[in-house]
Amino acid sequence: QEMDRLPNLYPDIVSQVLLGKSSEQRDIFALRISSGYLGWKSPGLKYKMASSNGLPVLYIQSLLHAREWLTGATLNSVIQMILQGYKRNKSRRDRRIVKMVNSWDMYFNPIANPDGYAYTFQKGAENRMWRKTRSINTNSACRGVDPNRNFDADWDPRWVPNCQKCASNDPCLETYKGPAAASEPEVQAIQNFVRFH
């Protein structure tokens, strides 16, 4: 995979940071681009530990809704533009990109919902448009939670005006918010990472 190659191609500014595991135990990672301290890596580990070096943090994710494939392609293009603009011959470098890489810790999460994304590639017409995670819902044959509606931010519909229209308590609907705020490991991983930084 392209994202696995980038830390080797740009070792001075790129590393991978493990955010957590999905409900089906897939890695949820972010690609870190920064000329600041890249953290430490234990021998034999694929991922570096995130460091907090005082630089402002930019976090961008794609594919939170599994079916939105274009978000992953767009994020990949942004990453490539940054890396190519930074690593060109010094006389041809894009000064704006160099300043950005030197001034920020940028984290790009290319697949925020890896289980749902993998499911969209399985055979079956309904799978391509799958939106939710792939967690098992207690007392329901329907799987998954809409991760966008599962974050621990005004999760209870009583706190948000008209939220009954935008989040569901029914696990069979695409907008199912989950049994509790941040019940999904994908959402927990993102929330914990963002709160740490």
Side-chain angles (χ1 to χ4, degrees):
Q1 179 175 39
E2 180 67 18
M3 296 298 159
D4 291 334
R5 294 177 347 117
L6 293 177
N8 293 327
L9 293 173
Y10 303 95
D12 52 333
I13 61 168
V14 177
S15 63
Q16 282 186 339
V17 177
L18 183 64
L19 305 185
K21 295 276 190 180
S22 68
S23 59
E24 294 179 350
Q25 297 304 301
R26 288 183 174 88
D27 287 347
I28 303 167
F29 73 93
L31 198 66
R32 180 179 183 267
I33 301 176
S34 178
S35 65
Y37 174 65
L38 289 176
W40 57 273
K41 183 176 179 182
S42 297
L45 290 181
K46 178 179 176 181
Y47 299 103
K48 292 189 179 183
M49 302 304 292
S51 63
S52 180
N53 59 15
L55 292 176
V57 172
L58 171 70
Y59 172 82
I60 300 175
Q61 68 191 20
S62 62
L63 290 162
L64 186 62
H65 285 154
R67 65 186 177 202
E68 296 171 353
W69 290 359
L70 189 55
T71 64
T74 302
L75 188 59
N76 185 47
S77 294
V78 169
I79 291 168
Q80 294 298 331
M81 182 190 72
I82 291 170
L83 294 176
Q84 291 168 11
Y86 186 84
K87 292 305 282 185
R88 285 188 187 131
N89 179 312
K90 287 192 179 190
S91 64
R92 295 179 49 225
R93 278 184 167 181
D94 185 325
R95 283 179 271 200
R96 296 168 300 174
I97 290 177
V98 171
K99 182 178 180 181
M100 184 172 59
V101 170
N102 292 339
S103 303
W104 289 80
D105 276 345
M106 295 177 286
Y107 294 89
F108 300 95
N109 178 348
I111 305 174
N113 179 4
D115 298 343
Y117 181 63
Y119 186 69
T120 65
F121 287 95
Q122 292 181 7
K123 289 185 179 180
E126 71 281 354
N127 298 355
R128 170 57 190 96
M129 295 307 290
W130 187 260
R131 169 183 173 138
K132 302 188 293 182
T133 63
R134 294 292 300 155
S135 60
I136 295 171
N137 292 312
T138 307
N139 299 322
S140 176
C142 300
R143 291 188 69 165
V145 168
D146 182 346
N148 205 38
R149 288 162 172 78
N150 190 243
F151 284 93
D152 188 13
D154 295 329
W155 180 83
D156 188 336
R158 293 174 296 178
W159 300 339
V160 180
N162 301 318
C163 196
Q164 293 292 348
K165 295 178 184 176
C166 63
S168 173
N169 291 319
D170 183 347
C172 294
L173 295 180
E174 286 187 330
T175 56
Y176 176 51
K177 65 183 181 174
S183 61
E184 300 305 285
E186 297 85 351
V187 171
Q188 291 171 20
I190 294 165
Q191 277 191 180
N192 291 341
F193 179 79
V194 170
R195 286 178 176 160
F196 174 76
H197 288 85

